[in-house]
Amino acid sequence: MTNGRHYLTTPIYYASGDPHIGHAYTTFLADALGRYYRQSGARVFFLTGTDEFGQKIQEEAARRGIEPQALCDRMAARFESAWREMDIRYDRFIRTTETGHQRVVQAFLDRLNRRGYIYDDIYSGWYCVHEERYWTEKDLGPDATCPDCGRPVRRIEEKNYFFRMSRLQDALRAHVDANPEWIVPEIRRNEVLGFLEKPLADLSISRPRSRLRWGVPLPFDPEHVTYVWVDALMNYLTASGAIDPGQPPGGQGFDDVSGSWWPCDLHIVGKDILTPHAVYWPTLLMAAGLPLPRQLLVHGWWLSGGAKMSKSLGNVVDPLDLRTEFGTDAVRWYLLREMPTGADASYTPERFLTRYGELANVLGNLASRVSSMVARYTEGSVPDAPGSGLESAIGATLDSYHEAMGARRVHEALESAMELARRANRYIEKREPWALAKDPARRGDLEEVLASLVRVLLVIAALMVPAMPRKMTELARGLGCASVPSLAEALTGVTAGARVGKIPPLFPRVEIRGEDGA
Ligand code: ME8
């Protein structure tokens, strides 16, 4: 976060398929960090969207017998409504077919061309449409298949325009060396450093229109369209508002990005798209003379049965299905808490139920115990007492929570908040409010214990709201607040006399249907 502002992004997802749990994970992660920064008082700009050009989209549209634009309109609407239903608080949903974006792409490429970074040549090699990637002979799997997705590749020989990426190899390596936190976690940084040990090739940035019509025409040769990855990466710049393609070269904003959201503070991506983000994108920006994004957070894959969850493998869990039974927040919590940020994790129904059980038994149980004790012992009103009973536990939690969030270990931050709930449950066992309530001489102690418990619940609500905005709002309302208090407000304590209602189970028991649906 710089100067109280934070610009963060998800990848823009291909408009060729429906949103699935992998997309949802990245988007929840961005949403949780965005909410965390907002809560800390920052101005946040959270960007997501859809990637709508390229051969993959053109072919999917043809397969469905519709125009590519119609497919993109349909899928962009699907993503937007999925994100709205899942409480994603994005500020901008970008679609790469927007005219404004296409003009930024053209202005960017025109600038690279003027700066001597573009040349044309004949490309001959192999191409995988699904991954939208070129491969060399030695990369290929058995029977001329794509080493990433296993599909057959195509032999291609055509004129392409190239970006002189090789020129920037040393500059990029120097940047990665000098900025240890630029790519997190470290394993991904090391992967990029390893990649940069070998000579960096130039990057093909175009496709002939004779082969692919669905793309942004090159400003210097309209018979060619921009390679989808090049156009896609530029979405982050378009949305920042830094570039005004309507101005003549020299006045479009490339030399002064102040007043815009550029540079981006945090790009969040999956490890499958590390190279475009850690190599193509920064070198393109360097060539254009633009500042680089401040950080790249690279997360792992959700696996199912040991393989990456992906539409083509047919092992995808639809997050919307889980939501119907368990609610959005349980899904958000599971994904964010279960996956160590940066590593891979396996989705299993058993682990999902274990995490759900923890929400119900630790947090849900704490909330209902506290609300029913306040109802029973102090007539449903928050007692007028300092409520400092769990002070040191709260202090330790805040330290570890902020430390983990800062280091992008969101799962650890959430775990520290859950641990505070466990501490609060133990505090109840230890202080036995039911015993204190029997002794009028200990009325002061009882009030202090209950005030401490209400306070700690509000702190927990403030710590967990980035992951579970809906449930934590329900909790805060049950404790007499209009909405989830900021951490600072939660810490100053509870309002004496606030009305605490009986909080219905936050995470109700769910009847699990068997295989046969019975
Ligand atoms: O790559 N586990 O789009 P895409 C975790 N359009 N995350 C996953 C996942 C899984 N099993 N599957 C997908 C593209 N993701 C390009 C991006 S950006 C300028 C262009 C997430 O629809 C993860 O964030 O294939 C991954 O990087 C992204 O979805 C890929 O989405």
Side-chain angles (χ1 to χ4, degrees):
M1 183 167 59
T2 11
N3 309 325
R5 41 148 278 168
H6 201 97
Y7 173 20
L8 79 166
T9 68
T10 70
I12 47 171
Y13 305 112
Y14 284 126
S16 47
D18 282 310
H20 64 66
I21 209 162
H23 302 131
Y25 172 70
T26 317
T27 312
F28 290 156
L29 188 57
D31 189 54
L33 286 166
R35 286 174 186 271
Y36 170 70
Y37 283 117
R38 270 196 194 98
Q39 195 191 39
S40 326
R43 274 196 319 131
V44 168
F45 183 56
F46 170 8
L47 172 71
T48 188
T50 37
D51 191 352
E52 305 193 346
F53 283 120
Q55 196 141 359
K56 185 167 165 142
I57 308 286
Q58 183 175 289
E59 293 192 356
E60 177 62 20
R63 199 184 63 78
R64 297 186 190 206
I66 56 176
E67 286 302 314
Q69 189 65 60
L71 172 65
C72 295
D73 291 349
R74 188 182 296 174
M75 298 315 296
R78 290 265 255 272
F79 273 92
E80 275 203 89
S81 73
W83 297 155
R84 267 198 308 272
E85 282 175 39
M86 289 185 241
D87 300 312
I88 303 299
R89 202 172 151 194
Y90 58 84
D91 297 289
R92 167 95 155 89
F93 188 97
I94 193 168
R95 299 183 51 190
T96 51
T97 50
E98 290 169 14
T99 316
H101 171 67
Q102 298 191 50
R103 295 180 68 207
V104 170
V105 171
Q106 292 184 325
F108 197 120
L109 292 176
D110 181 52
R111 182 165 168 99
L112 294 190
N113 196 27
R114 284 167 193 273
R115 289 165 75 104
Y117 278 101
I118 307 287
Y119 64 94
D120 65 273
D121 202 352
I122 299 295
Y123 175 83
S124 78
W126 301 90
Y127 194 72
C128 171
V129 173
H130 184 260
E131 302 293 324
E132 296 278 15
R133 279 195 69 163
Y134 287 115
W135 297 108
T136 56
E137 190 86 41
K138 67 173 170 29
D139 295 323
L140 299 183
D143 301 326
T145 48
C146 168
D148 267 10
C149 71
R151 291 182 172 75
V153 290
R154 299 175 190 180
R155 176 93 201 155
I156 276 176
E157 184 159 308
E158 62 192 23
K159 175 176 154 183
N160 274 192
Y161 285 86
F162 289 83
F163 162 53
R164 294 189 193 281
M165 190 160 74
S166 55
R167 267 198 204 166
L168 293 154
Q169 172 156 13
D170 292 343
L172 179 59
R173 194 166 33 210
H175 185 78
V176 180
D177 275 336
N179 298 279
E181 308 263 282
W182 189 60
I183 303 171
V184 288
E186 204 180 353
I187 175 179
R188 302 293 160 220
R189 174 175 186 262
N190 291 339
E191 199 174 316
V192 171
L193 283 171
F195 185 78
L196 292 174
E197 292 284 306
K198 289 175 274 163
L200 194 57
D202 288 341
L203 179 69
S204 163
I205 58 152
S206 71
R207 303 290 178 261
R209 270 175 69 89
S210 52
R211 170 158 82 81
L212 174 68
R213 299 192 65 76
W214 191 238
V216 183
L218 293 187
F220 38 82
D221 186 347
E223 283 313 302
H224 292 256
V225 297
T226 311
Y227 170 39
V228 61
W229 260 108
V230 170
D231 128 52
L233 289 163
M234 292 176 187
N235 92 86
Y236 303 131
L237 183 65
T238 303
S240 78
I243 307 303
D244 179 356
Q247 299 299 316
Q252 294 176 322
F254 286 97
D255 299 306
D256 177 13
V257 295
S258 59
S260 80
W261 281 97
W262 197 258
C264 177
D265 293 272
L266 182 64
H267 288 316
I268 304 177
V269 298
K271 67 180 183 181
D272 46 331
I273 53 176
L274 174 63
T275 312
H277 284 85
V279 181
Y280 306 170
W281 185 221
T283 50
L284 284 163
L285 289 164
M286 284 175 181
L290 284 162
L292 302 191
R294 295 200 169 88
Q295 195 175 50
L296 186 59
L297 170 59
V298 188
H299 67 71
W301 283 341
W302 279 97
L303 309 172
S304 176
K308 182 187 177 207
M309 240 186 242
S310 83
K311 201 180 131 198
S312 41
L313 292 175
N315 62 354
V316 163
V317 178
D318 182 345
L320 297 169
D321 288 349
L322 287 171
R323 281 180 54 233
T324 322
E325 258 173 287
F326 297 91
T328 299
D329 281 5
V331 180
R332 291 175 61 116
W333 176 266
Y334 168 74
L335 295 178
L336 293 171
R337 171 66 195 85
E338 179 77 358
M339 178 179 260
T341 320
D344 290 346
S346 282
Y347 170 83
T348 68
E350 295 74 27
R351 290 297 304 162
F352 182 86
L353 292 176
T354 306
R355 291 281 175 214
Y356 187 79
E358 186 180 47
L359 282 174
N361 300 334
V362 179
L363 180 59
N365 188 29
L366 175 67
S368 54
R369 283 168 102 185
V370 172
S371 68
S372 58
M373 288 192 294
V374 174
R376 192 169 325 136
Y377 304 137
T378 54
E379 292 77 45
S381 134
V382 177
D384 189 3
S388 47
L390 282 145
E391 199 62 45
S392 65
I394 291 177
T397 301
L398 293 185
D399 289 347
S400 49
Y401 178 89
H402 290 305
E403 210 262 315
M405 278 295 201
R408 316 292 183 205
R409 293 193 307 267
V410 174
H411 64 296
E412 271 180 34
L414 298 180
E415 172 52 24
S416 66
M418 186 58 94
E419 182 54 28
L420 184 58
R422 285 190 205 102
R423 293 284 295 268
N425 277 320
R426 290 205 292 273
Y427 177 79
I428 297 177
E429 301 307 323
K430 193 163 144 238
R431 299 302 309 266
E432 300 185 324
W434 46 91
L436 298 177
K438 287 192 188 127
D439 183 354
R442 303 203 63 191
R443 178 79 187 173
D445 287 346
L446 175 69
E447 291 187 350
E448 171 59 5
V449 168
L450 294 183
S452 300
L453 286 166
V454 174
R455 177 168 178 247
V456 81
L457 266 176
L458 288 175
V459 170
I460 290 169
L463 296 176
M464 291 190 178
V465 74
M468 296 189 290
R470 208 176 281 200
K471 289 291 175 189
M472 292 306 99
T473 303
E474 263 176 48
L475 172 59
R477 292 210 176 120
L479 298 171
C481 301
S483 58
V484 179
S486 69
L487 251 184
E489 286 164 348
L491 288 169
T492 27
V494 291
T495 317
R499 301 299 305 169
V500 172
K502 180 105 184 63
I503 302 179
L506 286 175
F507 303 98
R509 198 179 280 281
V510 171
E511 288 307 323
I512 308 300
R513 277 180 279 116
E515 290 273 282
D516 55 357

